[in-house]
Amino acid sequence: MKSLKTYKNPLLLLAFCLLLVSCGKTETKPQEEQKATTEEASSTIASLTAEQIKTVGIQYGTIEQKELTATLKANGALRVPNNNKANATSMYGGVVKSINVQLGDFVKKGQVIATIANPQFIQLQEEYLSTSSKIIFAEQELARQKELNSGNAGALKNYQNADAELKSIRTRRASLQQQIQLMGINPSSLNNNNLRSALSVTSPITGTISNVFSKIGSYVDVSSPVAEIVDNSQLHLDLNIFEKDLPMLKVGQIIHFRITNNSGEDYNAKVYSIGAAFENDSKSIPVHATVQGNKTGLIDGMNITAIVSLNNVTTDAVPTDAIVSADGKEYIFVVTDKRVEETEVENDKSEKTKTQVTTTNFEKIEVAIGVSNMGYTAITLVKDIPANAKIVTKGAFFVNAKLTNKGEE
């Protein structure tokens, strides 16, 4: 009997050890899972005390239904139509004698831009006056030949020659008269005492001097303009719209734009034409709009950034300040009842008890943002939240900072 008892005790001891190991493993697994769940919750929940909330100035609100104007962003440039641009040129070649304007000067139609000189101008005027005198003589000769021919005292041939000569001189005078008018000289006021050696080059339109091509002493003719004039009051806006965005546009839509290199002033334009063909190889379609209202500071050729107003959309929206960006995503903070164990107080050397700090907790909720208008931004929640949940509308940046700092600690 003694030997059998001795044999059984080791077996009982081994079984008891196995039982202890099994129980130890069963209790350890829930603790690890609970720790992981707590860490995950801590990464999305921030806690602030009442004093912190007051100091930061956090304000609350709810997700609202807002009618926001959807917009389309596009790039373009300011253009002046060709019929509102002009070159001041001379119909006759000559040497520039004076230039009366500078870049940026405002000129009216008919205003003298420059004067040019050429001895040939005097020759044309001289020939015109001589031709006028010849007409008087030719008319007298024709009358004399007519009288002789009627009395059979002269040949019919002489009468016909006199008639042809008079018509030829009159044609030549009419041609010279038109040429002198193109020179800016009134033929009826021309006489031997007021022959002009210099001609005036005038502005063909009212506008602003955008370029001066000549200088004093240079030779100009009809192919070499003296200056360029642009009428900026007829500025147009040319936009490049991609094919996918074209259905959103229609004639009459309002465009808000700013100068790309100077975003301090807002301007408006109204769509009046939509292109029917692609622009080169860019797969973009030109859209033209008329600049309205104030045009101060706008110049032909300026690059602009435009916002095209589309249809009004009613959607979930929050104040733009309620949205924070982190890790390439957007978030809002919702007041939640979820609790996170924040501090551990050591009561003695062998035991620790966890205490809850009285705070307001904020859960970080990811959202997808849409159009922004009038201080509000459209959002789409990535996961559901309770109806009429209270969200942080002001101070979300500080709540996120608190959450980030806690993660770093």
Side-chain angles (χ1 to χ4, degrees):
M1 291 293 294
K2 186 176 181 180
S3 61
L4 179 62
K5 185 177 181 180
T6 304
Y7 177 75
K8 287 181 179 180
N9 285 339
L11 293 177
L12 292 174
L13 181 61
L14 178 61
F16 182 70
C17 290
L18 292 174
L19 179 63
L20 289 177
V21 171
S22 175
C23 292
K25 289 183 179 180
T26 303
E27 292 177 359
T28 302
K29 186 175 182 180
Q31 289 179 355
E32 291 176 351
E33 292 179 352
Q34 183 178 3
K35 182 178 179 182
T37 303
T38 302
E39 289 178 353
E40 182 179 357
S42 299
S43 65
T44 59
I45 297 178
S47 299
L48 274 73
T49 65
E51 183 179 356
Q52 289 174 326
I53 292 173
K54 181 179 179 180
T55 302
V56 173
I58 291 177
Q59 297 180 8
Y60 304 104
T62 58
I63 297 177
E64 304 177 43
Q65 289 291 311
K66 287 288 183 180
E67 187 179 76
L68 302 180
T69 301
T71 58
L72 172 67
K73 189 174 182 179
N75 296 322
L78 293 174
R79 293 284 183 263
V80 173
N82 287 337
N83 60 343
N84 295 106
K85 295 180 181 179
N87 287 332
T89 59
S90 172
M91 298 299 296
Y92 299 93
V95 177
V96 177
K97 187 176 180 180
S98 66
I99 298 176
N100 304 330
V101 295
Q102 295 181 358
L103 286 175
D105 286 353
F106 179 80
V107 295
K108 293 183 178 181
K109 182 178 181 179
Q111 181 175 333
V112 176
I113 301 294
T115 58
I116 61 174
N118 192 328
Q120 292 181 354
F121 300 159
I122 299 177
Q123 294 176 5
L124 283 174
Q125 298 169 68
E126 177 186 359
E127 186 178 357
Y128 173 76
L129 293 176
S130 299
T131 304
S132 298
S133 300
K134 290 179 182 179
I135 287 178
I136 297 175
F137 174 79
E139 288 174 343
Q140 294 173 351
E141 179 63 19
L142 178 62
R144 189 173 69 85
Q145 291 296 332
K146 183 178 181 181
E147 184 178 352
L148 291 173
N149 185 58
S150 61
N152 297 321
L156 178 61
K157 180 180 179 181
N158 293 336
Y159 171 75
Q160 292 174 340
N161 286 338
D163 183 54
E165 181 67 16
L166 176 61
K167 291 179 179 178
S168 176
I169 296 174
R170 283 176 175 173
T171 302
R172 179 56 180 166
R173 187 182 69 168
S175 174
L176 292 170
Q177 183 177 359
Q178 293 296 322
Q179 293 181 53
I180 290 175
Q181 286 178 342
L182 291 175
M183 294 167 62
I185 301 173
N186 184 5
S188 61
S189 63
L190 190 62
N191 56 58
N192 294 332
N193 297 322
N194 62 357
L195 298 179
R196 294 171 56 182
S197 61
L199 302 182
S200 299
V201 179
T202 59
S203 174
I205 63 171
T206 298
T208 303
I209 301 294
S210 61
N211 207 341
V212 177
F213 302 107
S214 302
K215 57 185 178 181
I216 295 176
S218 61
Y219 181 85
V220 296
D221 54 20
V222 69
S223 63
S224 53
V226 177
E228 181 186 47
I229 302 95
V230 176
D231 182 7
N232 284 325
S233 65
Q234 303 299 321
L235 272 173
H236 287 177
L237 184 63
D238 290 349
L239 298 177
N240 296 319
I241 303 297
F242 290 104
E243 181 180 3
K244 65 182 180 66
D245 299 324
L246 191 62
M248 303 179 188
L249 296 176
K250 62 181 179 180
V251 174
Q253 280 182 306
I254 299 300
I255 297 175
H256 307 287
F257 69 92
R258 288 185 175 184
I259 301 171
T260 301
N261 296 326
N262 181 13
S263 59
E265 187 74 23
D266 290 326
Y267 302 91
N268 296 326
K270 187 175 183 179
V271 176
Y272 74 89
S273 174
I274 298 176
F278 290 110
E279 187 77 10
N280 299 327
D281 298 328
S282 63
K283 284 297 181 181
S284 63
I285 297 165
V287 174
H288 308 285
T290 303
V291 179
Q292 298 181 325
N294 179 31
K295 300 182 182 67
T296 304
L298 300 182
I299 299 175
D300 176 39
M302 280 183 168
N303 294 323
I304 60 93
T305 302
I307 300 295
V308 184
S309 299
L310 304 176
N311 58 308
N312 290 339
V313 179
T314 301
T315 182
D316 291 339
V318 297
T320 304
D321 291 341
I323 301 172
V324 295
S325 298
D327 303 325
K329 299 179 180 179
E330 282 71 36
Y331 301 90
I332 61 172
F333 284 94
V334 179
V335 177
T336 180
D337 293 331
K338 296 180 182 179
R339 310 293 297 181
V340 178
E341 294 178 341
E342 295 183 342
T343 59
E344 293 182 348
V345 180
E346 187 174 323
N347 292 331
D348 52 48
K349 295 181 180 180
S350 59
E351 295 182 356
K352 294 180 181 179
T353 59
K354 297 179 180 180
T355 61
Q356 296 287 346
V357 178
T358 303
T359 59
T360 301
N361 293 338
F362 304 93
E363 184 176 5
K364 189 177 182 180
I365 303 295
E366 183 182 350
V367 296
I369 63 173
V371 60
S372 296
N373 193 16
M374 302 298 292
Y376 280 81
T377 299
I379 63 167
T380 301
L381 294 168
V382 174
K383 72 174 185 178
D384 294 334
I385 63 174
N388 298 322
K390 188 185 294 185
I391 67 171
V392 177
T393 59
K394 186 176 181 180
F397 171 81
F398 297 99
V399 179
N400 187 61
K402 176 68 186 313
L403 183 63
T404 303
N405 292 338
K406 182 176 71 175
E408 291 175 353
E409 292 175 2

